[in-house]
Amino acid sequence: MGAETFAIQKIVMRKLRMRLKHPFSTSFGTVQDKHFFIIEIVDRDGIKGYGESVAFDTPWYTEETVGTVAHVIEDFLIPLLKGAVLRHPDDVTDLFRPIRRNNMAKAAVEGAIWDVYAKRKGVSLAGALGGKKKTIDVGISIGLQKDMNALLEVIRKALADGYKRIKIKIKPGRDIDLIDNVRREFPDVPLMADANSAYTLKDADRLKALDAYGLLMIEQPLGHDDIVDHARLQQHIDTPICLDESIHSFDDARHAIELGSCRIINIKIGRVGGLTAAKRIHDYCRSRDVPVWCGGMLEAGIGRAHNIALSSLEGFTLPGDTSGSNRYWHRDIIVPEVVAENGTIRVPDGAGIGYAVDEEALEAFTVAKKEFVF
Ligand code: OSB
Ligand code: MG
């Protein structure tokens, strides 16, 4: 094995349970207790890297769940890594090619390998990806609230904290009125709406009515697996469409842009199968002048650190959903926790993810643990 290559010695797979400070609701479901995996990969030189899975308990966002992620990682991905000699984290994409989709499972493992790789080189994960920004601008995503006053109160607080844009969730019947009220109270705030696929083309005129409110964009109004109807809708409305759920790969992004299905893309590392794919989509969008931003999956600190590193790439020109740890958790699993000040987060310059894992917190939230020694 040459100096440039590395091989995996051990994989520790922990299942964690962490309770969100506030339950998060969308048009399809509510998350309160978050279950997810932390993947720790140790190479033969003892360098440790970390990845975090983002699938939820039920398949409301994409088809993956906590259960499918465990199955795919344990029964398919880990066996593929056994004995593999890696030159670069991009090699993992080729190694995992025989496994269709299951992108969140792949991303959790690939993310840990990116962290190992950056630490071996003694560079930050952001630097290893080619990120140049020293700080990233961030906004917040607000789940559906119990009433209008509750929503306005959360927005007020977020603006007082300095967040750079506000995203609210909409669904049929809770859309025009909602946005009208928010706009009355906050006429100039950078505002967007996320429908999480709650509409169909039959609602085209209802969605057209939102043009009056100067939204930055509308996120994923139509089918989670659609790019054709979105192209028709984009011709009908002025508000830029941003795709989230529909984009699982580089080719999905290319097709959506070629078809005119969106003018903006939300990149989530888990949804596209890892940092290598995320960067490739970013590079393509940048070459086509399509702005991108980094979406969130209510991550704990390790996933959040990966999002920050990705967001340091120059094509991430719009504030993302990666807000500070304190919006989600009483105690995070990294130190320091992620802090957003005036709507910006400093990109850490330490090696790898650039945050230390709080082993005590990790242990406290662990509900199951398995080790695979090669
Ligand atoms: O659609 O972007 C989404 C959370 C869970 C699943 C899907 C989405 C979201 C969010 C919150 O909007 C993002 C975050 O704060 O992490
Ligand atoms: Mg979304």
Side-chain angles (χ1 to χ4, degrees):
M1 199 170 80
E4 254 78 321
T5 61
F6 60 107
I8 296 167
Q9 196 245 322
K10 186 171 88 168
I11 299 179
V12 184
M13 189 170 167
R14 289 165 180 273
K15 185 177 182 179
L16 271 68
R17 183 180 61 226
M18 283 174 75
R19 168 151 285 214
L20 286 163
K21 270 187 182 174
H22 312 284
F24 191 88
S25 296
T26 66
S27 53
F28 281 103
T30 297
V31 184
Q32 164 83 266
D33 282 310
K34 204 181 178 218
H35 299 99
F36 59 97
F37 295 97
I38 293 296
I39 307 297
E40 176 189 316
I41 290 190
V42 189
D43 77 0
R44 294 218 183 125
D45 299 312
I47 308 281
K48 269 188 202 175
Y50 295 91
E52 178 175 324
S53 70
V54 298
F56 299 112
D57 285 327
T58 61
W60 67 267
Y61 171 75
T62 67
E63 65 276 26
E64 289 185 89
T65 67
V66 173
T68 69
V69 164
H71 168 50
V72 170
I73 291 180
E74 289 176 37
D75 298 336
F76 300 107
L77 303 183
I78 290 180
L80 286 173
L81 289 173
K82 199 170 175 140
V85 175
L86 303 167
R87 248 159 274 276
H88 188 276
D90 291 352
D91 296 347
V92 178
T93 306
D94 297 324
L95 217 51
F96 288 172
R97 209 179 297 284
I99 309 300
R100 294 279 184 255
R101 310 261 293 206
N102 288 285
N103 285 345
M104 294 177 182
K106 290 174 179 171
V109 175
E110 190 244 31
I113 292 172
W114 265 102
D115 188 24
V116 168
Y117 171 79
K119 284 171 177 160
R120 287 183 68 87
K121 295 192 69 156
V123 301
S124 66
L125 181 56
L129 287 164
K132 299 217 166 65
K133 290 195 251 164
K134 299 283 176 233
T135 60
I136 61 163
D137 285 346
V138 293
I140 72 159
S141 172
I142 305 173
L144 291 168
Q145 301 293 310
K146 72 174 191 320
D147 57 35
M148 198 60 220
N149 280 335
L151 176 62
L152 294 175
E153 196 43 48
V154 180
I155 296 176
R156 227 169 267 130
K157 164 91 169 68
L159 295 175
D161 289 344
Y163 282 107
K164 303 248 192 249
R165 70 99 170 97
I166 301 292
K167 162 169 143 184
I168 60 177
K169 297 285 184 179
I170 55 168
K171 62 178 186 181
R174 281 176 83 173
D175 42 24
I176 298 174
D177 264 10
L178 199 78
I179 289 170
D180 191 73
N181 273 291
V182 172
R183 263 292 176 243
R184 261 174 231 273
E185 190 81 11
F186 308 102
D188 304 317
V189 122
L191 181 68
M192 60 175 289
D194 185 358
N196 288 108
S197 293
Y199 297 88
T200 69
L201 263 192
K202 291 200 186 98
D203 302 306
D205 289 331
R206 200 170 176 84
L207 295 167
K208 173 91 189 146
L210 297 180
D211 280 348
Y213 298 99
L215 301 179
L216 292 171
M217 69 193 89
I218 177 164
E219 187 177 345
Q220 195 73 33
L222 308 180
H224 68 92
D225 52 359
D226 169 79
I227 53 168
V228 176
D229 285 352
H230 277 106
R232 290 182 61 189
L233 180 65
Q234 184 66 91
Q235 286 182 350
H236 186 66
I237 66 177
D238 298 329
T239 308
I241 293 177
C242 168
L243 289 179
D244 173 355
E245 281 89 331
S246 297
I247 307 296
H248 297 270
S249 65
F250 176 82
D251 280 334
D252 285 348
R254 186 173 60 78
H255 293 156
I257 291 168
E258 282 178 1
L259 277 174
S261 317
C262 63
R263 296 190 190 137
I264 298 170
I265 289 181
N266 163 344
I267 300 180
K268 290 186 186 175
I269 302 165
R271 198 188 62 236
V272 302
L275 283 166
T276 295
K279 178 177 163 55
R280 205 169 153 231
I281 293 170
H282 157 275
D283 294 349
Y284 175 73
C285 289
R286 194 157 184 239
S287 76
R288 300 290 306 260
D289 282 325
V290 172
V292 300
W293 54 278
C294 182
M297 291 288 281
L298 314 171
E299 288 91 345
I302 290 168
R304 206 160 287 281
H306 282 263
N307 288 345
I308 293 166
L310 180 67
S311 303
S312 74
L313 295 171
E314 286 162 295
F316 284 81
T317 52
L318 297 165
D321 278 347
T322 307
S323 37
S325 301
N326 68 342
R327 288 201 56 246
Y328 306 83
W329 315 111
H330 292 290
R331 181 185 186 184
D332 206 340
I333 55 173
I334 53 166
V335 273
E337 62 172 38
V338 173
V339 178
E341 229 173 317
N342 275 318
T344 67
I345 295 174
R346 205 183 58 79
V347 178
D349 44 25
I353 58 173
Y355 296 87
V357 171
D358 179 343
E359 299 283 348
E360 199 187 279
L362 192 64
E363 199 57 42
F365 295 124
T366 296
V367 293
K369 181 177 165 183
K370 284 187 187 172
E371 287 199 9
F372 304 83
V373 180
F374 289 170

